[in-house]
Amino acid sequence: MVLRTPITPFTKWASQASVAKFAATPSWIPQPWRINEQKQSMATVIHPVTQDATSSKGPTAMVFMNMGGPSTTNEVGDFLSRLFADGDLIPLGRLQNYLGPLISRRRTPKIQKQYAAIGGGSPIRKWSEYQSSEMCKILDRISPETAPHRPYVAFRYADPLTEEMYTKLLEDGFGRGKGGRAVAFTQYPQYSCSTTGSSLNELWKWRERLEGNRAMGAAEPDGAITWSVIDRWPVHSGLIEAFAQNVEAQLATYPEERRKDVVLLFSAHSLPMSVVNRGDTYPAEVAATVYAVMQRLGFSNPYRLCWQSQVGPSAWLGAQTSDTVQEYVKKGQTDLVLIPIAFTSDHIETLFELDQEVIHEAGHPGVKRAESLNGSPVFIQALADIAHAHLRSGESCSRQMGLRCQGCKSERCLEQKKFFVGQSNLLSVR
């Protein structure tokens, strides 16, 4: 949502310059859960690594990566400043360092009001910490050989930032000559260079600064953290089941005689067409998730995939979610269920953009939204199943991750991919 409102006065100057292997089917064991009181620290209190308290391969750090969001309205300015400085997400070309701060300052008051309207801040940190903590509890039970599993959260644009997470890892006894295993688990189910790719670029940067050759003065320092990456999981059966159950719950709120005609509108964050045309796999992976959900539902309803949060005058992947809803309502199709298919928890794109803008502007009670995944026990079990399969695989990342986009020219992307792919050599001797 912070990207949706046009920034034409700025981007019109920059537009020319800017221009499988998945886990096995899980055992569906519902896990009891409750929302813990939100903490301002990391996901849990984590004790230092001690070898006598670990299994043969543990401990294992499980790092949830996401874009994050300001927890209070006072954090909005810093959040936007980091967001508009990221050329992977918002490419502004050579004017990035000038336009980024200018745009973020101009937009801060408006975005602060939007966060105030959803309760004074984003809930994404609360949900990320809860999901990672609950997942680790399951992992300790089903993967004792890699236990204990320690939950961490690394956000790209908000606290806890990637560098904060990495510093905490070192303080907790990972790395610095002690070794240890860490898994970077993207919370973007569908891979994009602008989301997961950007987070991995940031993780690689701080690894190099804090314990890489730049920090230690060696080609490859001994005792550094061994990393692996869960870089995409768009059709994992547990993810699909969690989405499908939420869709079914919302469909059940319609009268039975109208239920089969409700149109399902899957909504995902859009991308600039310049990124899509470079070869980004995100549109195809989002479409794969949508098809898998519909297959699980038995293709019970008509459906479409649409895209939200476009910004600026350049071409973005469409059709837009807001336009799609308006057009269907005009045509008399007023029973619509919006499904946020690329988000794993609520944040401003669901709570404000979809709930308070798109649905409110539709002006019809038949336009509704399926719940986000949030604390779904099925979803949290799926996270544990994905992580367990990854830990057992001995692989550092998917085969897809090592392949660059056809039009990629980023040397940083190249070096980051080489690093994570190369970690497989270290995993084979653990």
Side-chain angles (χ1 to χ4, degrees):
M1 180 55 227
V2 295
L3 303 181
R4 185 181 178 211
T5 306
I7 52 172
T8 306
F10 307 107
T11 57
K12 67 181 181 180
W13 301 319
S15 58
Q16 293 179 349
S18 63
V19 171
K21 178 185 283 187
F22 298 102
T25 301
S27 55
W28 298 110
I29 306 174
Q31 302 297 319
W33 62 280
R34 64 181 179 83
I35 304 301
N36 296 325
E37 182 179 357
Q38 182 176 0
K39 302 179 179 68
Q40 293 303 312
S41 60
M42 286 294 180
T44 59
V45 177
I46 301 172
H47 301 290
V49 174
T50 55
Q51 292 303 315
D52 59 355
T54 68
S55 62
S56 60
K57 295 183 180 181
T60 306
M62 304 299 300
V63 181
F64 271 30
M65 299 189 307
N66 211 327
M67 71 182 299
S71 296
T72 69
T73 55
N74 289 335
E75 299 174 17
V76 170
D78 288 341
F79 170 74
L80 292 179
S81 179
R82 298 183 189 107
L83 188 146
F84 282 101
D86 183 9
D88 291 326
L89 181 67
I90 305 175
L92 299 175
R94 290 175 294 178
L95 296 178
Q96 191 95 36
N97 292 337
Y98 170 73
L99 289 178
L102 183 61
I103 296 168
S104 64
R105 285 196 301 269
R106 289 285 297 271
R107 291 176 63 80
T108 293
K110 179 177 182 178
I111 303 303
Q112 283 178 322
K113 292 179 180 178
Q114 294 176 359
Y115 277 104
I118 64 170
S122 173
I124 191 171
R125 179 172 183 172
K126 175 190 73 174
W127 285 121
S128 296
E129 291 180 343
Y130 175 76
Q131 291 165 346
S132 61
S133 179
E134 293 300 299
M135 178 198 72
C136 283
K137 292 176 185 177
I138 300 173
L139 281 176
D140 284 347
R141 187 180 72 251
I142 66 176
S143 184
E145 66 275 14
T146 54
H149 301 86
R150 309 277 174 78
Y152 295 83
V153 172
F155 285 154
R156 185 64 180 85
Y157 312 112
D159 294 334
L161 295 165
T162 304
E163 57 265 41
E164 297 173 32
M165 177 280 301
Y166 214 116
T167 300
K168 189 73 167 62
L169 275 178
L170 299 176
E171 291 173 352
D172 289 341
F174 291 90
R176 286 180 175 164
K178 302 175 184 177
R181 171 79 186 273
V183 177
F185 193 167
T186 180
Q187 291 306 292
Y188 307 101
Q190 305 92 2
Y191 183 93
S192 173
C193 296
S194 61
T195 53
T196 298
S198 177
S199 289
L200 290 175
N201 285 340
E202 189 75 357
L203 176 59
W204 172 74
K205 179 184 79 174
W206 284 102
R207 189 268 178 189
E208 290 296 289
R209 290 184 179 181
L210 295 176
E211 62 167 353
N213 53 12
R214 292 168 58 182
M216 303 300 183
E220 184 60 39
D222 293 331
I225 298 170
T226 300
W227 284 94
S228 63
V229 181
I230 302 173
D231 51 89
R232 69 198 75 208
W233 34 288
V235 294
H236 183 270
S237 55
L239 174 72
I240 302 308
E241 180 66 23
F243 276 131
Q245 288 188 12
N246 285 354
V247 173
E248 288 173 331
Q250 190 60 271
L251 283 172
T253 66
Y254 292 86
E256 186 173 358
E257 64 274 13
R258 288 162 43 196
R259 196 170 299 158
K260 63 180 177 59
D261 296 319
V262 175
V263 174
L264 306 181
L265 296 180
F266 295 89
S267 184
H269 202 296
S270 188
L271 281 181
M273 287 306 298
S274 60
V275 176
V276 175
N277 292 335
R278 192 173 62 209
D280 199 290
T281 62
Y282 176 74
E285 294 189 13
V286 172
T289 306
V290 170
Y291 191 85
V293 172
M294 290 308 305
Q295 195 169 41
R296 156 60 180 79
L297 294 172
F299 297 97
S300 60
N301 293 72
Y303 69 99
R304 286 293 185 273
L305 170 58
C306 46
W307 308 87
Q308 65 182 89
S309 308
Q310 294 89 336
V311 58
S314 61
W316 283 65
L317 188 61
Q320 293 189 31
T321 301
S322 55
D323 292 344
T324 298
V325 171
Q326 291 291 339
E327 289 301 320
Y328 276 128
V329 170
K330 288 179 183 177
K331 291 178 172 66
Q333 178 62 55
T334 56
D335 286 343
L336 307 167
V337 173
L338 290 161
I339 305 152
I341 198 64
F343 306 127
T344 56
S345 69
D346 275 323
H347 52 305
I348 199 167
E349 276 85 356
T350 59
L351 298 176
F352 189 87
E353 183 177 354
L354 293 183
D355 291 354
Q356 299 190 33
E357 288 192 331
V358 174
I359 293 177
H360 176 74
E361 291 169 6
H364 197 283
V367 182
K368 306 178 183 181
R369 175 173 72 85
E371 287 294 321
S372 298
L373 298 176
N374 293 338
S376 162
V378 172
F379 174 63
I380 292 170
Q381 179 68 48
L383 293 173
D385 289 330
I386 293 166
H388 186 206
H390 174 76
L391 290 168
R392 294 176 61 188
S393 72
E395 297 178 348
S396 62
C397 59
S398 72
R399 295 295 300 275
Q400 272 287 74
M401 187 175 146
L403 181 65
R404 299 173 75 190
C405 294
Q406 301 93 307
C408 180
K409 301 293 191 296
S410 170
E411 289 300 314
R412 179 176 56 175
C413 176
L414 173 62
E415 293 303 315
Q416 171 254 111
K417 287 180 179 294
K418 286 167 59 178
F419 169 76
F420 287 113
V421 171
Q423 291 286 283
S424 60
N425 296 326
L426 300 177
L427 291 173
S428 63
V429 300
R430 282 181 61 87

